[in-house]
Amino acid sequence: MPLHKSVRKVTTHVLNAMKLKGEKIAMLTGYDYSIARILDEAEIDVILVGDSASNVMAGYDTTLPITLDNMIYHAASVVRGVKRALVVVDLPFGTYQGNSKEALASSIRIMKETGAHAVKLEGGYQVVESIERILSAGIPVMGHLGLTPQAIHKFGTYVVRAKEEEEARRLMEDAKLLETTGCFAIVLEKIPAKLAEEVTNSVKIPVIGIGAGPKTDGQVLVLHDMLGLTQEFSPRFLRRYLDLHSEIKGAVQAYINDVRAGQFPNEKEQY
Ligand code: KIV
């Protein structure tokens, strides 16, 4: 029986075993209780409480403004809706870079106040000290390489990363470093599929891709994008499974029409 069918609770060890068995890992972002319940019932393996909440929940242009308190609110809501999935929470911008003690304190707050199972942070060699300190408290860490949206102002654009040999070489080194430091998995965002495949084959920990081709150990998408709630964001890698924007708009318009025509509520919808 495939592992995802036999396990009642997804752990970091289950993800490792899935990689060993060649079973793909399915991960999606989630930010609230009601949606987390649906994702969990559907048997998603990992829910990432991503700092993309800054964009899709709060309406900011970048992931930078979201705070640790905001992330804790979203993560605690998600955890209350989950029985089976592993819940991973993004450390937001400014809560771990350049200060490993702050990284540990931020991670401890997330684990204590939300009940989540792991944290994720962006970067390679620059954040190794922070990762080591977080791991020393027994908190599992997921890495994130390639396009790292918290560094948008350094790069100025969201284009594909590591297309050039030198950047690809550094990304490979960073992936191996994250593995030896003790990360339990790595997200690779928006890099060439061939490089993502090479990284996946070069490390023993699971590699989850977004815009990184089909050969990684698993895939992640931002929920609002794959459900078609967001419309303006249409990168090549995105597959939309629903047009929820139109569905919701249609339902709201039907409700407005019913109210205006005095057709809601009807006789059965009253006391
Ligand atoms: O915040 C997020 O949604 C992410 C995914 C894009 C991996 O980090």
Side-chain angles (χ1 to χ4, degrees):
M1 192 185 340
L3 268 170
H4 72 266
K5 283 276 166 227
S6 61
V7 297
R8 287 180 50 232
K9 185 87 199 85
V10 180
T11 63
T12 58
H13 300 281
V14 170
L15 299 184
N16 246 295
M18 286 175 79
K19 171 160 183 145
L20 276 175
K21 283 185 79 176
E23 265 182 48
K24 295 279 190 186
I25 297 162
M27 169 160 137
L28 279 173
T29 65
Y31 317 97
D32 69 82
Y33 167 78
S34 302
I35 296 283
R37 283 189 64 173
I38 300 173
L39 299 184
D40 199 54
E41 271 174 34
E43 299 192 338
I44 195 78
D45 299 311
V46 186
I47 299 181
L48 171 66
V49 184
D51 59 358
S52 48
S54 183
N55 308 102
V56 299
M57 298 299 288
Y60 290 113
D61 280 346
T62 71
T63 57
L64 275 64
I66 200 159
T67 65
L68 186 56
D69 284 340
N70 295 155
M71 291 302 295
I72 286 172
Y73 169 79
H74 287 298
S77 310
V78 165
V79 168
R80 284 192 287 271
V82 165
K83 293 195 176 97
R84 177 186 172 277
L86 184 85
V87 179
V88 182
V89 184
D90 261 336
L91 280 166
F93 176 68
T95 65
Y96 64 94
Q97 295 99 336
N99 182 342
S100 62
K101 285 193 180 156
E102 193 180 352
L104 176 60
S106 310
S107 305
I108 287 178
R109 274 200 66 198
I110 287 177
M111 302 300 280
K112 243 188 205 308
E113 295 177 38
T114 75
H117 312 117
V119 298
K120 174 165 89 55
L121 46 72
E122 297 181 5
Y125 70 93
Q126 314 92 328
V127 290
V128 160
E129 200 185 310
S130 291
I131 295 174
E132 279 169 344
R133 206 179 271 262
I134 299 168
L135 289 170
S136 74
I139 301 171
V141 179
M142 178 181 270
H144 183 153
L145 297 171
L147 175 65
T148 48
Q150 291 180 13
I152 180 61
H153 295 302
K154 176 174 168 193
F155 296 100
T157 138
Y158 289 104
V159 294
V160 181
R161 298 290 197 268
K163 278 169 89 176
E164 306 305 326
E165 210 173 298
E166 177 55 19
E167 202 187 337
R169 191 187 57 72
R170 269 189 278 127
L171 187 141
M172 176 64 89
E173 270 177 26
D174 273 341
K176 289 180 179 167
L177 184 61
L178 292 184
E179 176 181 38
T180 52
T181 306
C183 285
F184 73 87
I186 303 173
V187 166
L188 290 182
E189 180 164 354
K190 217 168 175 187
I191 64 167
K194 190 164 171 296
L195 175 62
E197 182 178 0
E198 282 165 16
V199 172
T200 304
N201 293 335
S202 304
V203 296
K204 292 202 171 66
I205 55 175
V207 173
I208 317 284
I210 171 164
K215 294 293 173 70
T216 51
D217 301 306
Q219 299 291 328
V220 56
L221 285 175
V222 170
L223 187 81
H224 287 50
D225 298 335
M226 63 83 80
L227 293 181
L229 266 170
T230 47
Q231 289 205 309
E232 56 292 343
F233 183 67
S234 250
R236 186 197 302 188
F237 68 77
L238 176 61
R239 185 178 297 177
R240 287 194 205 285
Y241 288 82
L242 260 184
D243 181 4
L244 209 47
H245 182 278
S246 304
E247 296 282 328
I248 293 176
K249 195 168 159 188
V252 170
Q253 283 169 338
Y255 165 76
I256 293 169
N257 291 342
D258 284 352
V259 171
R260 288 189 180 146
Q263 286 176 358
F264 175 80
N266 64 21
E267 276 188 12
K268 286 188 193 151
E269 291 161 335
Q270 56 185 283
Y271 300 100

